[in-house]
Amino acid sequence: GDSVTQMEGPVTLSEEAFLTINCTYTATGYPSLFWYVQYPGEGLQLLLKATKADDKGSNKGFEATYRKETTSFHLEKGSVQVSDSAVYFCALILASGSRLTFGEGTQLTVNP
Amino acid sequence: SQTIHQWPATLVQPVGSPLSLECTVEGTSNPNLYWYRQAAGRGLQLLFYSIGIDQISSEVPQNLSASRPQDRQFILSSKKLLLSDSGFYLCASTDQETQYFGPGTRLLVL
């Protein structure tokens, strides 16, 4: 079946550090890929998405590139801020599907 | 863009009591709707999804049920809550292939 694997957390960084959160997937078709962010006590917000191979999604300084050859969608940010502290979820959906498949989430803490 | 409302925001209920959580969606029509549960410090568990009125699929066996009385209304219910029902409940709606989430309801069963 379809699955998403994220790097295990928690991840702790200092402000202005470079961030990478790894995400790889297994899918039977050609999925669209998403990153969601969940701030403490809130619902999930869509951070960025990519719908086909080599697409790059970007938002708020975060980027992720859809790599079909490595089945990956790693999240990166060049300089994190304390306000980026949250849980990040990688997810996929097949073109013919109606359900998202989520990774387990990665807790990010950024210290000043 | 669509907006998802959930209420209540927080709920404390005794074991064995009934439950009703409501989700309504604005800004779209005929969406797919979803209920997720998130236990503390864990990922998302899909509980129910609906592709239309009275068309609901259950993902896991449990003492919860869902109903969709109107196109943009999705209700999560239980006749008797268990301690293990505690968690953060999220409603979601799709816009084409992208899911959008409500603010969530935090349920504590004592």
Side-chain angles (χ1 to χ4, degrees):
Chain A
D2 304 329
S3 66
V4 175
T5 302
Q6 290 182 233
M7 67 183 290
E8 292 188 18
V11 174
T12 302
L13 296 173
S14 298
E15 204 164 23
E16 299 183 2
F18 184 85
L19 169 71
T20 299
I21 300 179
N22 289 340
C23 171
T24 58
Y25 67 89
T26 302
T28 53
Y30 299 97
S32 293
L33 303 173
F34 305 83
W35 276 102
Y36 284 86
V37 59
Q38 185 179 32
Y39 298 103
E42 299 184 8
L44 274 70
Q45 300 176 25
L46 178 66
L47 182 59
L48 53 84
K49 69 178 183 180
T51 58
K52 61 182 186 297
D54 299 324
D55 270 0
K56 176 186 285 187
S58 61
N59 185 24
K60 300 180 181 180
F62 291 89
E63 292 183 342
T65 301
Y66 188 141
R67 300 289 188 197
K68 184 179 177 183
E69 62 276 14
T70 55
T71 62
S72 64
F73 193 53
H74 304 321
L75 182 68
E76 297 181 336
K77 187 175 185 180
S79 175
V80 292
Q81 305 300 312
V82 172
S83 57
D84 293 326
S85 298
V87 180
Y88 292 81
F89 291 92
C90 185
L92 69 82
I93 190 169
L94 291 177
S96 59
S98 59
R99 294 180 287 169
L100 277 177
T101 299
F102 283 93
E104 285 298 304
T106 302
Q107 172 76 54
L108 170 66
T109 301
V110 181
N111 295 319
Chain B
S1 63
Q2 56 182 286
T3 302
I4 302 170
H5 302 280
Q6 287 188 245
W7 65 89
T10 305
L11 191 60
V12 181
Q13 292 285 94
V15 169
S17 63
L19 173 74
S20 181
L21 303 181
E22 190 161 345
C23 170
T24 58
V25 181
E26 295 178 356
T28 187
S29 59
N30 196 30
N32 289 350
L33 297 176
Y34 305 80
W35 278 112
Y36 291 89
R37 178 169 58 204
Q38 188 178 31
R42 296 193 175 186
L44 296 165
Q45 179 185 34
L46 179 63
L47 301 176
F48 300 94
Y49 76 96
S50 171
I51 61 173
I53 293 175
D54 295 329
Q55 294 178 281
I56 298 169
S57 297
S58 174
E59 290 295 297
V60 293
Q62 59 209 328
N63 69 322
L64 298 171
S65 61
S67 61
R68 186 170 177 176
Q70 300 179 42
D71 179 47
R72 291 174 290 172
Q73 184 184 28
F74 204 25
I75 297 172
L76 184 69
S77 303
S78 174
K79 293 181 179 179
K80 289 186 177 182
L81 283 168
L82 306 173
L83 287 174
S84 58
D85 291 325
S86 294
F88 192 46
Y89 288 82
L90 290 161
C91 179
S93 171
T94 49
D95 182 355
Q96 297 185 336
E97 63 182 4
T98 301
Q99 271 193 21
Y100 297 93
F101 286 79
T105 294
R106 190 163 303 281
L107 171 65
L108 179 60
V109 182
L110 300 176

